[in-house]
Amino acid sequence: MNRNWAPTTNPVHRQQVQESLERVLASDSFRDSPRLSRFLRHLVEASMNGSAGNLKEYSIGIDVFDKPRSFDPRTDSTVRGEAGKLRLKLRLYYENEGRNDPLLITIPKGNYSAHLQLRRTHVSRNTYLTVTAAAVALVLILIWVNSRPSLNPRLPELRRITNDTGLTAYPALSPGGDLVAYASDRAGRGDLDIWIQPIAGLEARRLTDHPANDLDPVFSPDGATIAFRSDRDGGGIYAISSVGGTPRRIAADGHHPRYSPDGAWIAYTIGTWRFLASTPGSGKVFIVPARGGDPRQFQPQFSSAHYPVWSTDGRQILFLGRSHASVPGKESFDWWVAPAGGGDAIKTGALAEFDRLKLVPAKFPRWAWIPWYWSGDSVVFSAQANDAVNLWQVPISTRTGKVTGQPVRLTFGAGQEAVASSTPQGLIAFGDWKSNVDIWSVPLAAGQGRDGGKPERLTQSPALENWPSISRDGKTLVFFSDRAHSREIWTKVLPSGPETQLTHDGRWKDYPEISPDGSSYIFATQSAGGGTGGPLIRSDIKNPSSEILCAENCMTPSFLPDGTGFLHTNVDTPVHILFRNRGASISTVYLRHSKWELHQVTLSPDAAWILFYAILTPEHTRIFVAPFRKDKPPPESEWIALTGGTFHDTTPTWSVSGNRIYFATNRDGFSCIWSVPFDPKTKLSGPPMEIAHFHDAALRLDNTGTSRRGMSVAQDRIVFPLETITGNIWLMR
């Protein structure tokens, strides 16, 4: 380390620590080490919050390295090994890039507490006299400054108020800050119920008791009522007295309820998080009288609208929306501000600011730029920077509706901090989530398509793993994973063979699809602008080689058996079905509907039929099958509806024999897997049949990739991604 530096005993303020930590994590030394970056952030945050004494090898393994609860530090040296790497990387950083940093962050051997010290240089006598003279002048200034209120930032007080091993989330503070409501599965049934708990730490009370999920509570401004989303009876907005009672239905289909400041209205979203919020038709915002009544649509001209929050004076509403389906997303998709009573919406420019800082949307509770609340001229939200998801705030003027400054990070945990609520007194409650997505499978009874057993986990990595595709014989699986610190394509030999990384170039990848015989696969990469819809590439599994099949705008392709062409959907809106001959530079429209977007086309095994679904409303879809003729697209009169359009049915996938179709649906109030028979000769279908249920809020199909693809069927099993989630509630003052 530079010998001209020496530690000083001056106090270290939180802002100095935050700036120094971000500088270290953005350096060349740490930029490509997300695992060590997450470790360092966790240790520094604990030191800043005064909880460094609670840092133990076991808790670090669970919180930072996603170890299972059975983790035993005596036999697993992961934490000790990574700590050694972290100490070495910090030393090298301060000897090179950080040699002029004003603050030292060190991790002494023997413990996991981050030591924070300011540094000062050894200076010459002349410099010393100059500095001394300046210091005298500074003292005079300080005498004046100290007569004024202190401007030194005060470290926030952090306290965890729930200690559940399952999922406890969605906190909402009462207006006076004495109560917090939240959703929890602690009752042991697997579903979420609404609970209420005094901030002082007394025993929590269960407000709702229903086998469907109750979540996303919010207090009325007088604290007498709690509105919440419930999945019961088809789903909707409900309200219950904060002292208990029978919930009453306020509005159908809605979620994300938010009271107006005067308590007279509730704004909410109708739609589903199984689609990206930028998808046209994916969501609508409504306002309903708080006691119930006829809802009115807010900003009905918008192509999609989600997640409303009220301004402090109740005159304006900020929401996430896309103004026009025909205008590219970056130009029309943003946070918007509009008068609550109606009028023109103003584009805030928030998403461009987030993009400039390389922030990405938080994954929880759904992957979107969700504003949690709007207080004064600041909007609080969650965002991911590197591997951490934290609370941020961005200034947005209530006068102009525009962003007026740079986003600022509010929390610095190493986990995933989301869903926040606040009081005028400065108390903030938020959820700290932990999750993992892995590939699972369910056995299928031979020739029957029936559930043959319990779900089995196929991958065990703490990294994100999604979008599985399986060969027809059930022996080869491909999927994407970020375990190599970039999203790459991997393969696994089933049932318990090795996992092998297939791609290595570090570029973002998505939508892997294996050939029926398991010899090759295709995948998509990022476009030149950084979004989806980039080149579609084919590669062999055993002999690495690649072929660009489509330069851009080809999503979820399905190939003819002879490989001479493929069907696909487009990235731009409205989404419809296209066909492209192999080697051609453009695609031609194959199926289009005047009102509905058509998604996820799949050819039957004999290429005689195509399978797809249509978005009817933000909450409802319908699955269709239609005859495939390469040169003669089927008219709408030949489309055969397999589902009724009263539920959210997606991810239709053919069985190997072609006489059964599997799909994800919420028809029983949860996202589960069902199937429906189909006879190609008679063109007749039958009633849907249950395949696999996922009624546990902490193990869900909801937030994974199954809304677009990501479910695949072999002769003996069906594979899909499942997300395991845990969480607790924290307070920050």
Side-chain angles (χ1 to χ4, degrees):
M1 191 170 292
N2 191 332
R3 63 186 180 185
N4 291 327
W5 288 104
T8 174
T9 57
N10 291 338
V12 181
H13 295 302
R14 184 180 183 90
Q15 184 175 354
Q16 294 172 297
V17 178
Q18 293 172 356
E19 292 173 352
S20 181
L21 177 62
E22 297 306 319
R23 187 163 47 246
V24 172
L25 297 181
S27 68
D28 291 339
S29 300
F30 280 84
R31 186 180 298 119
D32 297 324
S33 300
R35 188 177 171 98
L36 291 182
S37 296
R38 183 180 180 186
F39 192 6
L40 179 61
R41 186 185 294 281
H42 183 77
L43 301 185
V44 172
E45 172 70 11
S47 292
M48 287 195 292
N49 295 335
S51 58
N54 297 328
L55 290 170
K56 305 297 181 185
E57 194 169 343
Y58 175 80
S59 63
I60 293 172
I62 300 295
D63 295 338
V64 177
F65 299 110
D66 299 314
K67 293 291 184 180
R69 296 288 173 184
S70 59
F71 169 58
D72 187 349
R74 296 172 298 180
T75 58
D76 187 336
S77 62
T78 297
V79 177
R80 296 190 297 276
E82 294 298 311
K85 295 177 185 178
L86 180 58
R87 293 185 184 102
L88 176 60
K89 191 170 282 288
L90 281 171
R91 180 171 66 82
L92 293 175
Y93 168 76
Y94 286 116
E95 287 178 352
N96 296 281
E97 295 174 83
R99 60 186 176 274
N100 295 320
D101 280 13
L103 182 75
L104 279 173
I105 302 174
T106 59
I107 314 295
K109 290 185 178 180
N111 63 70
Y112 297 106
S113 175
H115 283 207
L116 313 170
Q117 289 183 316
L118 291 172
R119 302 196 293 185
R120 56 180 171 83
T121 57
H122 293 292
V123 296
S124 67
R125 183 174 183 274
N126 289 338
T127 304
Y128 174 79
L129 293 175
T130 301
V131 172
T132 301
V136 172
L138 181 60
V139 167
L140 297 177
I141 296 174
L142 289 176
I143 292 174
W144 175 77
V145 171
N146 287 334
S147 67
R148 299 167 62 84
S150 174
L151 299 178
N152 289 336
R154 181 175 62 87
L155 291 178
E157 301 173 17
L158 279 171
R159 179 165 65 94
R160 189 167 76 173
I161 61 170
T162 65
N163 291 280
D164 294 305
T165 57
L167 177 59
T168 297
Y170 302 96
L173 289 166
S174 63
D178 56 332
L179 298 170
V180 60
Y182 49 80
S184 178
D185 66 357
R186 62 164 62 123
R189 194 169 52 197
D191 61 289
L192 294 172
D193 294 303
I194 304 300
W195 295 69
I196 190 168
Q197 174 178 325
I199 294 298
L202 301 177
E203 186 175 351
R205 291 185 295 109
R206 187 178 180 184
L207 282 184
T208 67
D209 183 1
H210 193 280
N213 284 325
D214 296 331
L215 63 156
D216 213 358
V218 60
F219 278 91
S220 60
D222 62 4
T225 307
I226 294 174
F228 61 96
R229 155 74 187 192
S230 179
D231 291 339
R232 67 185 75 185
D233 301 327
I237 304 299
Y238 286 74
I240 188 172
S241 168
S242 57
V243 298
T246 302
R248 55 189 175 88
R249 190 178 178 108
I250 301 298
D253 296 328
H255 59 88
H256 192 81
R258 294 296 183 266
Y259 276 99
S260 61
D262 62 5
W265 304 91
I266 296 176
Y268 62 95
T269 298
I270 283 183
T272 173
W273 52 83
R274 299 174 184 89
F275 296 123
L276 295 178
S278 59
T279 302
S282 61
K284 300 176 182 179
V285 171
F286 285 83
I287 300 175
V288 66
R291 294 185 176 275
D294 294 330
R296 65 175 174 87
Q297 188 174 353
F298 179 72
Q299 296 294 308
Q301 74 277 16
F302 265 64
S303 174
S304 67
H306 302 260
Y307 316 122
V309 291
W310 299 80
S311 61
T312 304
D313 61 9
R315 295 180 180 179
Q316 300 176 86
I317 292 176
L318 180 143
F319 63 99
L320 176 68
R322 183 168 182 172
S323 58
H324 298 90
S326 58
V327 177
K330 286 191 175 182
E331 298 177 24
S332 62
F333 185 57
D334 203 344
W335 282 355
W336 296 76
V337 171
D344 293 339
I346 298 172
K347 190 171 184 282
T348 66
L351 269 59
E353 186 66 18
F354 303 159
D355 187 58
R356 186 183 67 82
L357 294 180
K358 294 183 170 51
L359 300 178
V360 297
K363 184 181 176 185
F364 297 101
R366 51 198 66 100
W367 196 79
W369 288 114
I370 304 177
W372 303 128
Y373 58 87
W374 191 2
S375 178
D377 277 345
S378 291
V379 176
V380 172
F381 62 102
S382 293
Q384 179 172 336
N386 296 318
D387 277 356
V389 175
N390 302 114
L391 297 184
W392 294 67
Q393 70 177 11
V394 62
I396 294 181
S397 170
T398 54
R399 183 178 60 84
T400 65
K402 295 288 188 179
V403 169
T404 58
Q406 182 171 301
V408 175
R409 194 194 306 258
L410 296 179
T411 61
F412 291 81
Q416 302 182 72
E417 299 160 344
V419 188
S421 174
S422 74
T423 68
Q425 297 79 22
L427 185 65
I428 297 176
F430 63 91
D432 183 23
W433 309 63
K434 292 178 176 60
S435 84
N436 189 47
V437 179
D438 280 296
I439 309 303
W440 293 63
S441 76
V442 167
L444 298 175
Q448 300 180 28
R450 296 181 180 276
D451 184 354
K454 294 182 179 180
E456 174 191 3
R457 186 173 172 179
L458 299 181
T459 62
Q460 303 286 334
S461 169
L464 167 67
E465 309 194 301
N466 209 328
W467 212 273
S469 179
I470 193 170
S471 58
R472 286 184 181 175
D473 62 8
K475 295 181 179 179
T476 308
L477 176 75
V478 296
F479 56 95
F480 75 66
S481 173
D482 62 4
R483 67 178 75 175
H485 308 306
S486 62
R487 184 179 286 191
E488 303 288 355
I489 308 300
W490 289 66
T491 184
K492 179 181 176 69
V493 178
L494 296 176
S496 57
E499 298 174 8
T500 306
Q501 186 174 341
L502 296 175
T503 61
H504 300 82
D505 61 9
R507 296 180 64 191
W508 176 93
K509 300 171 184 67
D510 216 338
Y511 318 133
E513 193 81 13
I514 198 169
S515 61
D517 63 3
S519 64
S520 63
Y521 64 99
I522 56 176
F523 62 92
T525 59
Q526 275 184 320
S527 65
T532 58
L536 184 69
I537 297 174
R538 177 196 174 278
S539 184
D540 291 330
I541 288 182
K542 294 184 177 179
N543 301 308
S545 62
S546 61
E547 172 192 3
I548 297 179
L549 301 173
C550 176
E552 60 180 356
N553 204 21
C554 293
M555 300 277 285
T556 59
S558 183
F559 277 82
L560 295 175
D562 60 8
T564 58
F566 59 93
L567 290 159
H568 67 92
T569 54
N570 55 309
V571 178
D572 302 328
T573 56
V575 177
H576 46 270
I577 297 171
L578 302 98
F579 180 82
R580 178 177 294 207
N581 286 303
R582 191 165 182 174
S585 59
I586 60 172
S587 302
T588 56
V589 174
Y590 189 76
L591 282 188
R592 187 198 301 266
H593 194 274
S594 59
K595 296 181 179 179
W596 306 333
E597 289 205 342
L598 308 180
H599 287 259
Q600 197 187 310
V601 61
T602 309
L603 278 161
S604 62
D606 61 2
W609 300 85
I610 56 173
L611 183 65
F612 58 95
Y613 72 85
I615 301 177
L616 310 185
T617 73
E619 293 279 353
H620 307 108
T621 63
R622 177 176 288 174
I623 296 174
F624 290 93
V625 66
F628 174 70
R629 297 179 294 267
K630 182 177 178 180
D631 300 319
K632 188 180 179 182
E636 189 175 345
S637 59
E638 291 188 276
W639 299 6
I640 302 170
L642 300 181
T643 60
T646 55
F647 301 103
H648 191 83
D649 303 323
T650 62
T651 328
T653 307
W654 292 98
S655 66
V656 170
S657 62
N659 61 4
R660 182 168 291 275
I661 289 141
Y662 298 87
F663 59 99
T665 178
N666 66 346
R667 61 187 54 228
D668 63 357
F670 301 85
S671 285
C672 301
I673 298 175
W674 290 54
S675 74
V676 63
F678 175 70
D679 188 333
K681 294 181 180 180
T682 63
K683 303 180 183 179
L684 295 177
S685 181
M689 182 178 68
E690 307 162 24
I691 299 297
H693 287 288
F694 306 104
H695 292 187
D696 190 334
L699 182 67
R700 65 181 186 179
L701 203 63
D702 273 348
N703 220 19
T704 60
T706 53
S707 63
R708 294 171 289 171
R709 188 70 66 83
M711 192 164 71
S712 184
V713 178
Q715 60 186 10
D716 63 342
R717 70 177 70 212
I718 181 170
V719 295
F720 47 87
L722 276 184
E723 183 175 36
T724 54
I725 314 169
T726 60
N728 275 291
I729 306 299
W730 288 74
L731 290 179
M732 182 170 68
R733 191 184 299 275

